[in-house]
Amino acid sequence: MSQRTGTPPAVGNRKPSRLGRLGRAQNIPYLLLGIALLLFPILDSNRSQIDVAAFAGVWVLLALGLNIVVGYAGLLDLGYAAFFAIGSYAFAILASGQFNIHISFWILLFASAFIAAMFGVLLGAPTLRLRGDYLAIVTLGFGEIVPRVFRNLTPITGGVNGIVGVDQPKLPAVFGWSGNFGFNPIPYYYLILGVIVLCLFLINNLRNSRLGRAWMAIREDEVAAAATGINTVTTKLLAFALGASFSGFAGTYYASKLFIVSPESFSFQAVSVVVLVMVVLGGMGSMRGVIVGALLIYFIQSYVLIQLPGWIVSATTALNIDFLTKLDIGSYVQRSNFLIFGIILAGIMLLRPQGLLPSAQRKVELEGGTSDEAVADLGSA
Amino acid sequence: MPILETRGLTKRFGGLVAVNSVDISVEQGEIFAMIGPNGAGKTTLFNLVAGLYKPTSGQILFNGRSIYPVRDFWRTYSPPFAAYYMVLDSIRRGLGLGPMPLGLKPHAVTALGVARTFQNIRLFSYMTALENVMVGEHPRMHAKVWDSLLRTPFARREEHKVRERARELLRFVGLERQADQYARNLPYGFQRRLEIARALGTAPKLLMLDEPAAGFNPQEKNELMQLIQDIRSQGITVFLIEHDMKVVMEVSERIVVLDYGEKIAEGPPQKVRTDPRVIEAYLGKSA
Ligand SMILES: Nc1ncnc2c1ncn2[C@@H]1O[C@H](COP(=O)(O)OP(=O)(O)O)[C@@H](O)[C@H]1O
Ligand SMILES: [Mg+2]
């Protein structure tokens, strides 16, 4: 065992200083992107666009969190909205006039992530023996139950009206800025940017860690994972807990930014499905992919789908064909928002079934899958 | 004291008795083989030891400790569960129902030092060879959740150590060049070896190999037997299932023969080879 055969040193083995690593060529696009994101509110004085960007960040956080559960651990969770709701309500109850409790945003940001994680364990525990479709159905149930509980627990949650007048973050005054976030989107933008960077740091650490490998092993083969000494129960619960904690972050931020929480914000169609679509379309298990997926879907939903009827109306008027204008396609389009959304999604998935920026594993998986099928087809022909 | 011992171990699947009151004892440091025709219950016995199946009756001891049924509740479970099980156990015994049928979970058995490979290879297909072995090292790592999340200096050092050890193990089984390939892309023979490396990653005291030479040509079989001897010379006890009598005769010190779930012979290769019941079981059925 002592004779060393000439193995080339693997890429991961080089160890330059941390600063040196930042300067590597492949990181330059990321550095530029980082600078652009930091400067964006300064260069762009349009506040509503900054506002949109700040909300987009919520979806990025949610997608990153769900990616842990679905992409890393392979647990198909259709009830992710539940944890988002729990994070939002936890914050709204503990920082509003509802009970006249006003705990600091900065404490609650982490506290409600912790509360969401606890519920992740609580709701995850009964599902541990389930797999695939069965797991999906049970989590779907939880995702529906939780917002309903909030809607009906009127004395605590304000029922259908929700809780209005949620506290907003405060910082010490600096450079002539009062430190109050108020309705100014710029501090919110930087806040979500900071939270996302923190989460990226944590998730990146997880990927190549004892825990991250254990998740992937469970995703690949649960029996083999157990045979290599992985406690599948605690490892799966940790995936639920950590995934939920990210949506706890998102929920706190969302509640304070929106100034209000209401049960309608956390429905299956509005959150669980959309976030899952972001993850799958972006590329399951790939951080970059999931971020791109989240931004793209958010853009389609909050911009393209809303503008589309207007575009069509102006296009038909510009064409000036009487018959087209009379058809009033614009209003049809407006009413078939979901249909168009679905068509766009189906189109993207047909073109790139592996997701926009797939993880390395997914790439091999799909390549392998198609060639296996090809062989099978030949065999049966 | 034997490293592994089963007493009256029985497993039924409905009406079928897959393992029927089998007593075996594997001694520390030996290469012990189990042979028998297809369907004799060999894999089932492995699964019972590994905690994948729960025995219908009987006892399994590892290093003298009863891993089925579990006896030392306080050492095995957290206090509330231990207390609960102890009460149930004494009630059951009082009623003459026998001990609580509690077994260790597969991961707990592995943590005690029993590693195994599977008859139909079960690698993590979409992880690299190196990652597969690193997963194997999971039970001997100590990084906690926050270490993983924050990549603490401890986690970093441990990660480095684990990676080096995984490379070492890949070299040991002859896969150093394949470290960065996906497990599913490896040729069949390499996959078998990788599975052994992954099992060795858990730092086992007892290594259970389920037909590791299946589908090998004679030369590959020889190389594998060499590897098994190397593993034993590191102080790891090897418990081996093998179909091919000849292979087993060369490498193992003692052999047990199963047929229809029952132990029909046991002893050194020379003795087993000439046992009339073994000859009948093999010649009478081999296709
Ligand atoms: N999970 C199971 N459920 C039902 N029957 C099983 C199961 N596992 C094994 N058996 C049966 O038990 C018998 C022994 O199988 P096995 O242990 O795989 O044999 P061997 O490994 O010696 O070829 C076979 O008849 C098999 O069909
Ligand atoms: Mg078998």
Side-chain angles (χ1 to χ4, degrees):
Chain A
M1 263 181 74
S2 56
Q3 93 267 16
R4 302 225 158 202
T5 34
T7 35
V11 184
N13 261 0
R14 268 180 283 140
K15 279 184 76 183
S17 72
R18 298 179 103 185
L19 264 180
R21 253 184 291 171
L22 260 185
R24 259 197 233 150
Q26 80 245 32
N27 285 336
I28 287 175
Y30 294 111
L31 276 179
L32 292 179
L33 182 69
I35 293 168
L37 285 173
L38 279 177
L39 294 181
F40 168 64
I42 298 166
L43 300 177
D44 185 350
S45 56
N46 182 342
R47 289 215 159 178
S48 73
Q49 278 177 18
I50 300 170
D51 206 51
V52 167
F55 274 118
V58 173
W59 294 96
V60 170
L61 268 187
L62 289 175
L64 284 171
L66 185 62
N67 185 41
I68 292 180
V69 186
V70 179
Y72 291 175
L75 305 164
L76 184 50
D77 181 355
L78 289 184
Y80 195 59
F83 307 119
F84 185 40
I86 288 167
S88 291
Y89 271 96
F91 175 68
I93 290 167
L94 295 173
S96 68
Q98 182 77 354
F99 294 106
N100 249 324
I101 307 173
H102 296 277
I103 302 175
S104 154
F105 173 90
W106 306 107
I107 295 171
L108 286 181
L109 182 63
F110 292 94
S112 56
F114 183 74
I115 293 170
M118 294 279 87
F119 276 92
V121 171
L122 215 63
L123 300 190
T127 67
L128 285 172
R129 287 159 174 275
L130 307 173
R131 265 169 239 209
D133 304 347
Y134 299 100
L135 176 68
I137 290 166
V138 174
T139 53
L140 174 71
F142 282 136
E144 286 298 280
I145 290 167
V146 167
R148 252 158 238 258
V149 169
F150 284 133
R151 176 159 47 226
N152 293 310
L153 217 59
T154 314
I156 298 171
T157 61
V160 270
N161 300 321
I163 299 172
V164 186
V166 180
D167 288 357
Q168 294 173 325
K170 271 198 193 69
L171 280 174
V174 274
F175 303 125
W177 176 52
S178 69
N180 287 330
F181 278 46
F183 291 100
N184 182 354
I186 294 177
Y188 276 107
Y189 172 84
Y190 283 115
L191 172 59
I192 196 81
L193 201 59
V195 174
I196 289 174
V197 168
L198 171 72
C199 292
L200 285 178
F201 167 75
L202 297 178
I203 296 174
N204 192 42
N205 285 345
L206 279 176
R207 254 199 63 84
N208 295 304
S209 72
R210 182 179 189 225
L211 183 56
R213 273 194 305 273
W215 283 335
M216 287 177 217
I218 287 179
R219 182 190 66 197
E220 299 284 310
D221 185 333
E222 206 170 322
V223 171
T228 52
I230 292 169
N231 185 339
T232 52
V233 170
T234 51
T235 308
K236 282 186 191 176
L237 283 181
L238 278 172
F240 278 119
L242 282 168
S245 69
F246 285 85
S247 68
F249 279 139
T252 305
Y253 174 88
Y254 188 68
S256 89
K257 169 105 184 64
L258 215 57
F259 197 59
I260 172 177
V261 291
S262 89
E264 306 316 316
S265 325
F266 307 106
S267 67
F268 175 65
Q269 316 88 291
V271 181
S272 291
V273 165
V274 174
V275 179
L276 189 66
V277 164
M278 288 168 170
V279 170
V280 174
L281 180 131
M284 259 192 277
S286 149
M287 277 202 292
R288 280 181 307 160
V290 163
I291 294 173
V292 170
L295 293 176
L296 182 72
I297 296 292
Y298 185 71
F299 175 73
I300 293 175
Q301 280 215 317
S302 68
Y303 187 74
V304 177
L305 287 183
I306 290 171
Q307 301 290 333
L308 200 58
W311 290 340
I312 289 176
V313 169
S314 46
T316 45
T317 10
L319 284 173
N320 203 13
I321 303 170
D322 201 33
F323 152 74
L324 270 182
T325 332
K326 277 219 185 85
L327 266 181
D328 194 14
I329 304 175
S331 74
Y332 283 118
V333 168
Q334 193 156 22
R335 272 175 282 154
S336 17
N337 251 350
F338 271 111
L339 177 68
I340 294 166
F341 186 47
I343 291 172
I344 295 175
L345 295 183
I348 298 177
M349 287 322 280
L350 279 176
L351 291 175
R352 281 189 77 83
Q354 70 275 45
L356 296 170
L357 293 174
S359 66
Q361 283 100 334
R362 280 290 286 169
K363 252 189 253 175
V364 191
E365 213 164 310
L366 277 145
E367 282 160 15
T370 42
S371 68
D372 283 352
E373 276 158 29
V375 172
D377 282 349
L378 279 179
S380 64
Chain B
M1 183 174 58
I3 188 166
L4 179 74
E5 199 181 344
T6 70
R7 295 180 186 159
L9 192 61
T10 300
K11 178 67 183 176
R12 288 173 194 276
F13 294 110
L16 176 88
V17 190
V19 174
N20 194 355
S21 196
V22 171
D23 300 311
I24 55 169
S25 79
V26 183
E27 295 298 329
Q28 179 78 48
E30 71 174 335
I31 297 179
F32 184 85
M34 177 159 58
I35 62 173
N38 258 328
K42 308 181 293 295
T43 301
T44 305
L45 193 140
F46 265 25
N47 286 338
L48 290 170
V49 172
L52 212 57
Y53 294 159
K54 191 181 263 199
T56 309
S57 62
Q59 191 180 10
I60 305 170
L61 297 112
F62 180 68
N63 269 333
R65 178 177 171 187
S66 179
I67 57 174
Y68 185 91
V70 174
R71 291 266 166 78
D72 39 5
F73 300 117
W74 297 99
R75 205 165 122 202
T76 314
Y77 303 105
S78 52
F81 287 100
Y84 175 65
Y85 290 143
M86 212 181 69
V87 171
L88 286 187
D89 188 62
S90 43
I91 292 175
R92 282 187 63 110
R93 282 165 193 271
L95 295 174
L97 293 172
M100 271 292 281
L102 282 172
L104 293 184
K105 293 267 155 45
H107 71 87
V109 177
T110 307
L112 278 183
V114 182
R116 57 94 52 98
T117 63
F118 295 88
Q119 183 174 350
N120 42 350
I121 306 172
R122 299 186 82 142
L123 287 166
F124 307 121
S125 317
Y126 299 105
M127 298 173 87
T128 65
L130 188 72
E131 283 170 333
N132 266 274
V133 184
M134 288 172 80
V135 172
E137 291 183 71
H138 185 93
R140 56 157 108 170
M141 291 178 75
H142 299 284
K144 298 270 182 275
V145 183
W146 50 88
D147 291 310
S148 290
L149 265 171
L150 301 172
R151 194 176 286 270
T152 55
F154 172 76
R156 220 177 290 217
R157 252 177 289 132
E158 191 179 54
E159 196 71 8
H160 182 72
K161 215 163 57 188
V162 161
R163 189 175 293 270
E164 284 310 303
R165 214 156 31 194
R167 282 190 191 285
E168 193 74 22
L169 282 170
L170 283 178
R171 200 173 300 136
F172 179 64
V173 301
L175 284 179
E176 66 268 36
R177 288 172 189 285
Q178 282 72 27
D180 296 323
Q181 287 187 29
Y182 283 106
R184 79 186 297 269
N185 293 341
L186 294 174
Y188 174 78
F190 284 1
Q191 292 195 2
R192 283 245 175 252
R193 281 167 177 267
L194 178 56
E195 221 191 5
I196 295 176
R198 183 181 71 186
L200 289 173
T202 65
K205 300 185 180 79
L206 172 69
L207 178 64
M208 303 200 297
L209 303 171
D210 196 342
E211 301 202 17
F216 277 12
N217 64 33
Q219 152 140 27
E220 286 172 323
K221 278 185 183 171
N222 279 338
E223 284 168 7
L224 184 83
M225 292 306 140
Q226 186 56 50
L227 178 65
I228 289 174
Q229 270 156 352
D230 289 347
I231 292 171
R232 191 262 300 271
S233 63
Q234 298 202 340
I236 297 170
T237 310
V238 179
F239 183 9
L240 167 81
I241 294 178
E242 182 48 62
H243 220 58
D244 185 339
M245 280 275 246
K246 225 173 70 196
V247 170
V248 172
M249 299 293 160
E250 281 166 27
V251 74
S252 49
E253 280 116 29
R254 283 193 316 130
I255 298 175
V256 64
V257 189
L258 289 196
D259 190 24
Y260 289 118
E262 282 181 46
K263 183 170 86 174
I264 57 168
E266 186 178 20
Q270 293 319 315
K271 187 178 148 229
V272 166
R273 200 214 304 262
T274 51
D275 189 304
R277 286 188 70 185
V278 177
I279 294 170
E280 194 211 303
Y282 263 80
L283 295 184
K285 276 183 223 80
S286 64

